[in-house]
Amino acid sequence: MRGMRTSENERLFHAARALLPGGVSSPVRAFGSVGGTPRFLVKGRGSRVWDADGNEYVDYVGSWGPLILGHAHPEVVRAVQETAAQGLSFGAPHPLEVALAEAVRRVYPVLERLRFVNSGTEATMSALRVARGFTGRDHVLKFRGNYHGHADGLLVEAGSGALTFGRPSSAGVPEAYAGLTLVGSYNDPEALEAVFAHHGENIAAVIFEPVVGNAGVIPPKPEFLAALRRLTREYGALLIADEVMTGFRLAPGGATERYGLEPDLVTLGKILGGGLPAAAYGGRAEVMAQVAPEGPVYQAGTLSGNPLAMAAGLATLQALEREPGIYDRLEAYGARLQAGLAEVLTAAGVPHTINRVGSMLTVFFTEGPVGGFEAASKTDTAAFRRFFHALLEGGVYWPPSAYEAAFVSAAHGDEDLERTLAAARRAFA
Ligand SMILES: *Cc1c(COP(=O)(O)O)cnc(C)c1O
């Protein structure tokens, strides 16, 4: 497929750049770190997507996680169409909110009560507000390389020194605001112990990705997960599992089920909306009783609980519930993809480490092992660029950043795997 036609993508990108910052509605879509022309995707079916020039790709982005069933799953599309025909939004309670909340609870018993919102960003931002309201404390702790959306207090990186408060990682975030966020080191129970020894009494909540997906895939160490739960309990802080990416993906009940976690609050998104904007935060009933109108913590949304998003999410969760074998298929395809890519890269003599948890996978171009953010940041981004463009030219749409997870869907199969490995082979031939 070398020399694929991209003139329409180029024309659109040119027009888009005049109107939208970077030509996009979310930064990574602009191909900034890999170069080249972003593809305007106009159609998807199962594991495949098509761009504005008509090129077809095997898709490993899956809209950045939501599309665990693949594109345009017939039941999800039908649910949205039927719901849309009755009206798009009411700003009043809707039966589908109850149905989706029940479906969530069946697989996430820890979400005794929950609130629907429109994005993962809103879910984490609101969960932290609730934690602060509940504990009466101001500080929160997050980990370097974990992403929780773009709320001000979460666009924060580590300051100098091991135990300092965070500083803004984006322009426009006030120092004073970032200073309420402590930044810890993921997978490091001793460092966590030290943070709590210094600041434990002031920490309202610890928010973490139970499997990191946003620095590339980094699995959690069991002793880190145990220390998180032990220390938060000891110091009276809430533990917030940010499962926006992992929820419903790593198991029906996400990482909470897979690792037997006992978080106080969980944030969900991505798969929860089945491809439409829906997210949620929830957890212990007494904590969620803080949320307005029952409690004093304000949080609202014009389109929250939107019927179309509820319908898409419910149809997705129902399909997963009806066919639990999907998780075995995701695991099997993920394992074959990992083994196949490892074989190609080994044969080509390219240093690599492939981290995978279920259907989330990252190829790090470094010897590894990659067990934390420091190791992940050693990935050879030039090698990644070469890999990415060879895949793209070969009809495979891989996430356009070295620090993202590739997602497998239930629709991926043998032909997809063959095409992917053939393109990877050409990358380093
Ligand atoms: C995607 C993501 C978010 C942000 O969700 P948006 O819907 O993009 O705002 C938050 N946390 C995690 C772990 C995510 O993967």
Side-chain angles (χ1 to χ4, degrees), residues 295-376:
V297 176
Y298 190 71
Q299 190 273 305
T302 301
L303 292 173
S304 293
N306 173 264
L308 271 58
M310 298 292 103
L314 183 62
T316 301
L317 296 199
Q318 282 173 340
L320 295 171
E321 201 172 344
R322 212 180 42 242
E323 209 197 318
I326 280 179
Y327 290 94
D328 295 332
R329 290 216 320 269
L330 291 170
E331 181 71 41
Y333 188 94
R336 288 166 69 205
L337 178 62
Q338 178 177 21
L341 289 173
E343 194 187 311
V344 169
L345 294 171
T346 302
V350 178
H352 65 277
T353 302
I354 305 179
N355 280 1
R356 180 181 68 86
V357 180
S359 54
M360 293 165 55
L361 172 151
T362 299
V363 182
F364 294 102
F365 290 90
T366 171
E367 291 292 351
V370 178
F373 182 70
E374 295 293 330

Coordinates of all heavy atoms in Angstrom, one line a residue, residues 295-376:
G295 N -26.3 16.2 49.2 CA -25.3 16.7 50.1 C -24.8 18.0 49.6 O -25.3 18.6 48.7
P296 N -23.8 18.6 50.3 CA -23.3 19.9 50.1 C -22.3 20.1 48.9 O -21.9 21.2 48.6 CB -22.6 20.3 51.4 CG -22.1 18.9 51.9 CD -23.1 17.9 51.5
V297 N -21.9 19.0 48.3 CA -20.9 19.1 47.2 C -21.6 19.3 45.9 O -22.3 18.4 45.4 CB -20.0 17.8 47.1 CG1 -19.0 17.9 45.9 CG2 -19.2 17.7 48.4
Y298 N -21.4 20.5 45.2 CA -22.2 20.8 44.0 C -21.6 20.1 42.8 O -20.3 20.2 42.6 CB -22.3 22.3 43.8 CG -23.2 22.6 42.7 CD1 -24.6 22.4 42.9 CD2 -22.8 23.0 41.4 CE1 -25.5 22.6 41.8 CE2 -23.7 23.3 40.4 CZ -25.0 23.1 40.6 OH -25.9 23.3 39.6
Q299 N -22.4 19.6 41.9 CA -21.9 19.0 40.6 C -23.2 18.8 39.8 O -24.1 18.3 40.3 CB -21.2 17.7 40.9 CG -20.4 17.2 39.7 CD -21.4 16.3 38.8 OE1 -22.0 15.4 39.3 NE2 -21.5 16.7 37.5
A300 N -23.1 19.3 38.5 CA -24.3 19.3 37.7 C -23.9 19.1 36.2 O -22.7 19.2 35.9 CB -25.1 20.6 37.9
G301 N -24.9 19.0 35.3 CA -24.5 18.9 33.9 C -25.8 18.9 33.0 O -26.7 18.1 33.2
T302 N -25.8 19.9 32.1 CA -27.0 20.0 31.2 C -27.3 18.7 30.4 O -28.4 18.3 30.3 CB -26.7 21.1 30.1 OG1 -26.4 22.3 30.8 CG2 -27.8 21.3 29.2
L303 N -26.2 18.1 29.9 CA -26.4 16.9 29.1 C -26.1 15.6 29.9 O -26.1 14.5 29.3 CB -25.6 17.0 27.8 CG -26.1 18.1 26.9 CD1 -25.1 18.2 25.7 CD2 -27.4 17.7 26.3
S304 N -25.8 15.7 31.2 CA -25.4 14.5 31.9 C -26.6 13.5 31.9 O -27.7 13.8 32.1 CB -25.1 14.9 33.4 OG -23.9 15.6 33.4
G305 N -26.2 12.2 31.7 CA -27.2 11.1 31.7 C -28.0 11.2 30.4 O -29.1 10.6 30.2
N306 N -27.4 11.8 29.3 CA -28.0 11.9 28.0 C -28.5 10.6 27.5 O -27.8 9.6 27.5 CB -27.0 12.5 27.0 CG -27.6 12.5 25.6 OD1 -27.3 11.6 24.9 ND2 -28.4 13.5 25.3
P307 N -29.8 10.5 27.1 CA -30.3 9.2 26.7 C -29.6 8.5 25.6 O -29.5 7.2 25.7 CB -31.7 9.6 26.2 CG -32.0 11.0 26.6 CD -30.7 11.6 27.0
L308 N -29.0 9.2 24.6 CA -28.3 8.5 23.6 C -27.0 7.8 24.1 O -26.7 6.7 23.8 CB -27.9 9.5 22.5 CG -28.9 9.6 21.3 CD1 -30.3 10.1 21.9 CD2 -28.4 10.6 20.3
A309 N -26.3 8.6 25.0 CA -25.1 8.0 25.6 C -25.4 6.9 26.5 O -24.7 5.9 26.5 CB -24.4 9.1 26.3
M310 N -26.5 7.0 27.3 CA -26.9 5.9 28.1 C -27.3 4.7 27.3 O -27.0 3.5 27.7 CB -28.2 6.3 29.0 CG -28.0 7.5 29.9 SD -26.9 7.2 31.3 CE -25.4 8.1 30.8
A311 N -28.0 4.9 26.2 CA -28.4 3.8 25.3 C -27.2 3.1 24.7 O -27.1 1.8 24.7 CB -29.3 4.3 24.2
A312 N -26.2 3.8 24.3 CA -25.0 3.2 23.7 C -24.2 2.5 24.8 O -23.7 1.4 24.5 CB -24.1 4.3 23.1
G313 N -24.1 3.1 26.0 CA -23.4 2.4 27.1 C -24.1 1.1 27.5 O -23.4 0.1 27.7
L314 N -25.4 1.2 27.6 CA -26.1 0.0 28.1 C -26.1 -1.1 27.1 O -25.8 -2.2 27.4 CB -27.6 0.4 28.3 CG -28.5 -0.7 28.9 CD1 -28.0 -1.1 30.2 CD2 -30.0 -0.2 29.0
A315 N -26.2 -0.8 25.8 CA -26.1 -1.8 24.8 C -24.7 -2.5 24.8 O -24.6 -3.7 24.6 CB -26.4 -1.2 23.4
T316 N -23.7 -1.7 25.0 CA -22.3 -2.2 25.1 C -22.2 -3.1 26.3 O -21.7 -4.3 26.2 CB -21.3 -1.0 25.2 OG1 -21.4 -0.2 24.0 CG2 -19.9 -1.6 25.2
L317 N -22.6 -2.7 27.5 CA -22.5 -3.5 28.7 C -23.3 -4.7 28.6 O -22.9 -5.8 29.0 CB -22.8 -2.7 29.9 CG -22.0 -1.5 30.3 CD1 -22.2 -1.1 31.8 CD2 -20.5 -1.7 30.0
Q318 N -24.5 -4.6 27.9 CA -25.3 -5.8 27.8 C -24.6 -6.9 26.9 O -24.7 -8.1 27.2 CB -26.7 -5.4 27.3 CG -27.6 -4.8 28.3 CD -28.9 -4.3 27.8 OE1 -29.0 -4.0 26.6 NE2 -29.9 -4.1 28.7
A319 N -24.0 -6.4 25.8 CA -23.3 -7.3 24.9 C -22.2 -8.0 25.7 O -21.9 -9.2 25.5 CB -22.8 -6.6 23.7
L320 N -21.4 -7.3 26.5 CA -20.3 -7.8 27.3 C -20.9 -8.9 28.3 O -20.2 -9.9 28.6 CB -19.5 -6.8 28.0 CG -18.8 -5.8 27.1 CD1 -18.2 -4.6 27.9 CD2 -17.7 -6.5 26.3
E321 N -22.0 -8.5 28.9 CA -22.6 -9.4 29.9 C -23.1 -10.7 29.3 O -22.9 -11.8 29.9 CB -23.8 -8.6 30.5 CG -24.2 -9.1 31.9 CD -25.2 -8.1 32.5 OE1 -25.4 -7.0 32.1 OE2 -25.9 -8.5 33.5
R322 N -23.7 -10.6 28.1 CA -24.3 -11.8 27.5 C -23.2 -12.7 27.0 O -23.4 -13.9 26.8 CB -25.1 -11.3 26.3 CG -26.3 -12.1 26.0 CD -27.1 -11.6 24.8 NE -26.3 -11.1 23.7 CZ -26.3 -9.9 23.3 NH1 -27.0 -9.0 23.9 NH2 -25.5 -9.5 22.3
E323 N -22.0 -12.1 26.6 CA -21.0 -13.0 26.0 C -19.7 -12.8 26.8 O -18.7 -12.2 26.3 CB -20.8 -12.5 24.5 CG -20.4 -13.6 23.6 CD -19.8 -13.0 22.3 OE1 -20.4 -12.1 21.7 OE2 -18.7 -13.6 21.9
P324 N -19.6 -13.4 28.0 CA -18.4 -13.2 28.8 C -17.1 -13.8 28.1 O -16.0 -13.4 28.4 CB -18.7 -14.0 30.1 CG -19.9 -14.8 29.8 CD -20.6 -14.2 28.6
G325 N -17.3 -14.7 27.1 CA -16.2 -15.2 26.4 C -15.4 -14.2 25.6 O -14.3 -14.4 25.2
I326 N -16.0 -13.0 25.5 CA -15.3 -11.9 24.8 C -13.9 -11.6 25.5 O -12.9 -11.3 24.8 CB -16.2 -10.6 24.8 CG1 -17.2 -10.6 23.7 CG2 -15.3 -9.3 24.7 CD1 -18.2 -9.4 23.7
Y327 N -13.9 -11.7 26.8 CA -12.7 -11.4 27.5 C -11.6 -12.4 27.2 O -10.4 -12.0 27.2 CB -12.9 -11.2 29.0 CG -13.7 -10.0 29.3 CD1 -15.1 -10.0 29.4 CD2 -13.1 -8.7 29.4 CE1 -15.8 -8.9 29.6 CE2 -13.8 -7.6 29.6 CZ -15.2 -7.6 29.7 OH -15.9 -6.5 29.9
D328 N -12.0 -13.6 27.0 CA -11.0 -14.7 26.6 C -10.4 -14.4 25.2 O -9.3 -14.5 24.9 CB -11.6 -16.1 26.7 CG -12.0 -16.5 28.1 OD1 -11.3 -16.0 29.0 OD2 -12.9 -17.3 28.2
R329 N -11.4 -13.9 24.3 CA -10.9 -13.6 23.0 C -10.0 -12.4 22.9 O -9.0 -12.4 22.2 CB -12.2 -13.3 22.1 CG -13.0 -14.5 21.8 CD -13.7 -14.5 20.4 NE -14.1 -13.2 19.9 CZ -15.4 -12.8 20.1 NH1 -16.3 -13.5 20.8 NH2 -15.8 -11.6 19.6
L330 N -10.3 -11.4 23.7 CA -9.4 -10.2 23.8 C -8.1 -10.6 24.3 O -7.0 -10.2 23.8 CB -10.0 -9.2 24.7 CG -11.3 -8.5 24.3 CD1 -11.9 -7.7 25.4 CD2 -11.0 -7.6 23.1
E331 N -8.0 -11.5 25.3 CA -6.8 -11.9 25.9 C -6.0 -12.7 24.9 O -4.8 -12.5 24.7 CB -7.1 -12.8 27.1 CG -5.9 -13.4 27.9 CD -5.1 -12.3 28.6 OE1 -5.8 -11.4 29.2 OE2 -3.9 -12.3 28.6
A332 N -6.7 -13.6 24.2 CA -6.0 -14.4 23.2 C -5.4 -13.6 22.0 O -4.3 -13.8 21.6 CB -7.0 -15.5 22.6
Y333 N -6.2 -12.7 21.5 CA -5.7 -11.8 20.4 C -4.5 -11.0 20.9 O -3.5 -10.8 20.2 CB -6.8 -11.0 19.8 CG -6.4 -10.2 18.6 CD1 -6.6 -10.7 17.3 CD2 -5.7 -9.0 18.7 CE1 -6.2 -10.1 16.2 CE2 -5.2 -8.3 17.5 CZ -5.5 -8.9 16.3 OH -5.1 -8.2 15.1
G334 N -4.7 -10.4 22.1 CA -3.7 -9.6 22.7 C -2.4 -10.4 22.8 O -1.3 -9.9 22.5
A335 N -2.5 -11.6 23.3 CA -1.3 -12.4 23.5 C -0.6 -12.7 22.1 O 0.6 -12.7 22.0 CB -1.6 -13.7 24.2
R336 N -1.4 -13.0 21.1 CA -0.8 -13.3 19.8 C -0.2 -12.1 19.2 O 0.8 -12.1 18.5 CB -1.9 -13.9 18.8 CG -2.3 -15.3 19.2 CD -3.6 -15.6 18.5 NE -3.4 -15.8 17.0 CZ -4.4 -15.6 16.1 NH1 -5.6 -15.3 16.5 NH2 -4.2 -15.8 14.9
L337 N -0.8 -10.9 19.4 CA -0.3 -9.7 18.9 C 1.1 -9.4 19.5 O 2.1 -9.0 18.9 CB -1.2 -8.5 19.1 CG -0.8 -7.1 18.7 CD1 -0.6 -7.0 17.2 CD2 -1.9 -6.1 19.1
Q338 N 1.1 -9.5 20.9 CA 2.3 -9.3 21.6 C 3.4 -10.3 21.2 O 4.6 -9.8 20.9 CB 2.1 -9.5 23.1 CG 3.3 -9.4 24.0 CD 2.9 -9.5 25.5 OE1 1.9 -10.1 25.8 NE2 3.8 -9.0 26.3
A339 N 3.1 -11.5 21.0 CA 4.1 -12.5 20.7 C 4.6 -12.3 19.2 O 5.8 -12.3 18.9 CB 3.6 -13.9 20.8
G340 N 3.7 -11.9 18.3 CA 4.0 -11.7 16.9 C 4.9 -10.5 16.8 O 5.9 -10.5 16.1
L341 N 4.6 -9.4 17.5 CA 5.4 -8.2 17.4 C 6.8 -8.4 18.0 O 7.8 -8.0 17.5 CB 4.7 -7.0 18.1 CG 3.5 -6.4 17.4 CD1 2.8 -5.4 18.2 CD2 3.8 -5.8 16.0
A342 N 6.8 -9.2 19.1 CA 8.1 -9.5 19.7 C 9.0 -10.2 18.8 O 10.2 -10.0 18.7 CB 7.8 -10.2 21.0
E343 N 8.4 -11.2 18.1 CA 9.2 -12.0 17.2 C 9.7 -11.1 16.0 O 10.9 -11.2 15.7 CB 8.3 -13.1 16.6 CG 9.0 -14.2 15.9 CD 8.0 -15.2 15.2 OE1 7.0 -15.6 15.9 OE2 8.2 -15.4 14.0
V344 N 8.9 -10.3 15.5 CA 9.4 -9.4 14.4 C 10.5 -8.5 14.9 O 11.5 -8.3 14.2 CB 8.2 -8.5 13.9 CG1 8.7 -7.4 13.0 CG2 7.1 -9.4 13.2
L345 N 10.3 -7.9 16.0 CA 11.3 -6.9 16.5 C 12.6 -7.6 16.9 O 13.7 -7.1 16.7 CB 10.7 -6.1 17.7 CG 9.6 -5.2 17.3 CD1 8.9 -4.6 18.5 CD2 10.0 -4.1 16.4
T346 N 12.5 -8.8 17.5 CA 13.7 -9.6 17.9 C 14.5 -10.0 16.6 O 15.7 -9.8 16.5 CB 13.3 -10.8 18.6 OG1 12.6 -10.4 19.8 CG2 14.5 -11.6 19.1
A347 N 13.7 -10.4 15.6 CA 14.4 -10.8 14.3 C 15.1 -9.7 13.7 O 16.2 -9.8 13.1 CB 13.3 -11.4 13.4
A348 N 14.5 -8.5 13.8 CA 15.1 -7.3 13.3 C 16.2 -6.7 14.2 O 16.9 -5.7 13.8 CB 14.1 -6.2 13.0
G349 N 16.4 -7.3 15.3 CA 17.4 -6.8 16.3 C 17.1 -5.4 16.9 O 18.0 -4.6 17.2
V350 N 15.8 -5.1 17.0 CA 15.4 -3.8 17.5 C 15.1 -4.0 19.0 O 14.3 -4.8 19.4 CB 14.1 -3.3 16.8 CG1 13.6 -2.0 17.4 CG2 14.3 -3.2 15.3
P351 N 15.8 -3.2 19.9 CA 15.5 -3.3 21.3 C 14.0 -3.0 21.6 O 13.5 -2.0 21.1 CB 16.4 -2.3 22.0 CG 17.4 -1.9 20.9 CD 16.8 -2.2 19.6
H352 N 13.4 -3.8 22.4 CA 12.0 -3.5 22.7 C 11.5 -4.2 24.0 O 12.2 -5.1 24.4 CB 11.1 -4.0 21.5 CG 11.2 -5.5 21.4 ND1 12.2 -6.1 20.7 CD2 10.4 -6.5 21.9 CE1 12.0 -7.5 20.8 NE2 11.0 -7.7 21.5
T353 N 10.5 -3.7 24.6 CA 9.7 -4.3 25.7 C 8.3 -4.1 25.3 O 7.8 -3.0 25.1 CB 10.0 -3.6 27.0 OG1 11.4 -3.6 27.2 CG2 9.3 -4.3 28.1
I354 N 7.5 -5.2 25.3 CA 6.1 -5.0 25.1 C 5.3 -5.3 26.4 O 5.4 -6.4 26.9 CB 5.6 -6.0 23.9 CG1 6.5 -5.8 22.7 CG2 4.1 -5.8 23.7 CD1 6.1 -6.6 21.5
N355 N 4.7 -4.3 26.9 CA 3.9 -4.5 28.1 C 2.4 -4.6 27.6 O 1.9 -3.9 26.8 CB 3.9 -3.2 29.0 CG 5.2 -3.2 29.8 OD1 6.0 -4.1 29.8 ND2 5.3 -2.2 30.7
R356 N 1.8 -5.6 28.2 CA 0.4 -5.9 27.9 C -0.4 -6.3 29.1 O 0.1 -7.1 29.9 CB 0.3 -6.9 26.8 CG -1.2 -7.3 26.4 CD -1.2 -8.4 25.4 NE -0.8 -9.7 25.9 CZ -1.6 -10.5 26.6 NH1 -2.9 -10.2 26.7 NH2 -1.2 -11.6 27.0
V357 N -1.6 -5.8 29.3 CA -2.5 -6.3 30.3 C -3.8 -6.5 29.5 O -4.4 -5.5 29.1 CB -2.7 -5.4 31.5 CG1 -3.7 -6.0 32.4 CG2 -1.4 -5.1 32.2
G358 N -4.2 -7.8 29.3 CA -5.4 -8.1 28.5 C -5.4 -7.4 27.1 O -4.4 -7.7 26.3
S359 N -6.3 -6.5 26.8 CA -6.4 -6.0 25.5 C -5.8 -4.6 25.4 O -6.1 -3.8 24.5 CB -7.9 -5.9 25.1 OG -8.6 -5.2 26.1
M360 N -4.9 -4.2 26.4 CA -4.2 -3.0 26.3 C -2.7 -3.3 26.1 O -2.2 -4.1 26.9 CB -4.3 -2.2 27.6 CG -5.6 -1.7 27.9 SD -5.8 -1.1 29.7 CE -4.4 0.0 29.9
L361 N -2.0 -2.7 25.1 CA -0.7 -3.1 24.8 C 0.2 -1.9 24.4 O -0.3 -1.0 23.7 CB -0.7 -4.1 23.7 CG 0.5 -4.7 23.1 CD1 0.3 -6.1 22.6 CD2 1.0 -3.8 21.9
T362 N 1.4 -1.8 24.9 CA 2.4 -0.8 24.4 C 3.7 -1.4 24.0 O 4.2 -2.2 24.7 CB 2.6 0.3 25.4 OG1 1.4 1.0 25.7 CG2 3.6 1.4 24.9
V363 N 4.2 -1.0 22.8 CA 5.6 -1.4 22.4 C 6.5 -0.3 22.9 O 6.4 0.8 22.4 CB 5.7 -1.6 20.9 CG1 7.1 -2.1 20.6 CG2 4.6 -2.6 20.4
F364 N 7.3 -0.5 23.8 CA 8.4 0.4 24.2 C 9.6 0.0 23.5 O 10.1 -1.1 23.5 CB 8.7 0.3 25.7 CG 7.5 0.8 26.6 CD1 6.7 -0.1 27.2 CD2 7.2 2.1 26.8 CE1 5.6 0.3 28.0 CE2 6.2 2.6 27.6 CZ 5.4 1.6 28.2
F365 N 10.3 1.0 22.8 CA 11.5 0.7 22.1 C 12.7 1.0 23.0 O 13.5 1.9 22.8 CB 11.5 1.6 20.8 CG 10.5 1.1 19.8 CD1 9.2 1.6 19.8 CD2 10.8 0.0 18.9 CE1 8.3 1.1 18.9 CE2 9.9 -0.4 18.0 CZ 8.6 0.1 18.0
T366 N 12.8 0.1 24.0 CA 13.9 0.1 24.9 C 14.0 -1.3 25.5 O 13.1 -2.1 25.4 CB 13.6 1.2 26.0 OG1 14.6 1.0 27.1 CG2 12.2 1.0 26.6
E367 N 15.2 -1.6 26.1 CA 15.4 -3.0 26.5 C 14.5 -3.4 27.7 O 14.1 -4.5 27.9 CB 16.9 -3.1 27.1 CG 18.0 -3.1 26.0 CD 17.9 -4.3 25.0 OE1 17.2 -5.3 25.3 OE2 18.6 -4.3 24.0
G368 N 14.1 -2.4 28.5 CA 13.3 -2.6 29.6 C 14.0 -3.4 30.8 O 15.2 -3.4 30.8
P369 N 13.3 -3.9 31.7 CA 11.8 -3.9 31.8 C 11.2 -2.5 32.1 O 12.0 -1.6 32.6 CB 11.5 -4.8 33.0 CG 12.7 -4.7 33.9 CD 13.9 -4.5 32.9
V370 N 10.0 -2.3 31.7 CA 9.3 -1.0 31.9 C 8.3 -1.2 33.1 O 7.2 -1.6 32.8 CB 8.7 -0.5 30.6 CG1 8.0 0.9 30.9 CG2 9.7 -0.3 29.6
G371 N 8.7 -0.8 34.3 CA 7.8 -1.0 35.4 C 7.4 0.3 36.0 O 6.7 0.4 37.0
G372 N 7.9 1.4 35.4 CA 7.5 2.8 35.9 C 7.7 3.8 34.9 O 8.2 3.5 33.8
F373 N 7.4 5.1 35.3 CA 7.5 6.2 34.4 C 8.9 6.5 33.8 O 9.1 6.7 32.6 CB 6.9 7.4 35.1 CG 6.8 8.6 34.2 CD1 5.9 8.7 33.2 CD2 7.7 9.7 34.4 CE1 5.8 9.8 32.4 CE2 7.6 10.8 33.6 CZ 6.7 10.9 32.6
E374 N 9.9 6.4 34.7 CA 11.3 6.6 34.3 C 11.7 5.7 33.1 O 12.2 6.1 32.1 CB 12.2 6.4 35.4 CG 12.1 7.3 36.6 CD 12.5 8.7 36.2 OE1 13.4 8.9 35.4 OE2 11.9 9.7 36.8
A375 N 11.4 4.4 33.3 CA 11.8 3.4 32.3 C 11.0 3.6 31.0 O 11.5 3.5 29.9 CB 11.5 2.0 32.8
A376 N 9.7 4.0 31.2 CA 8.9 4.2 30.0 C 9.4 5.4 29.1 O 9.4 5.3 27.9 CB 7.4 4.5 30.4

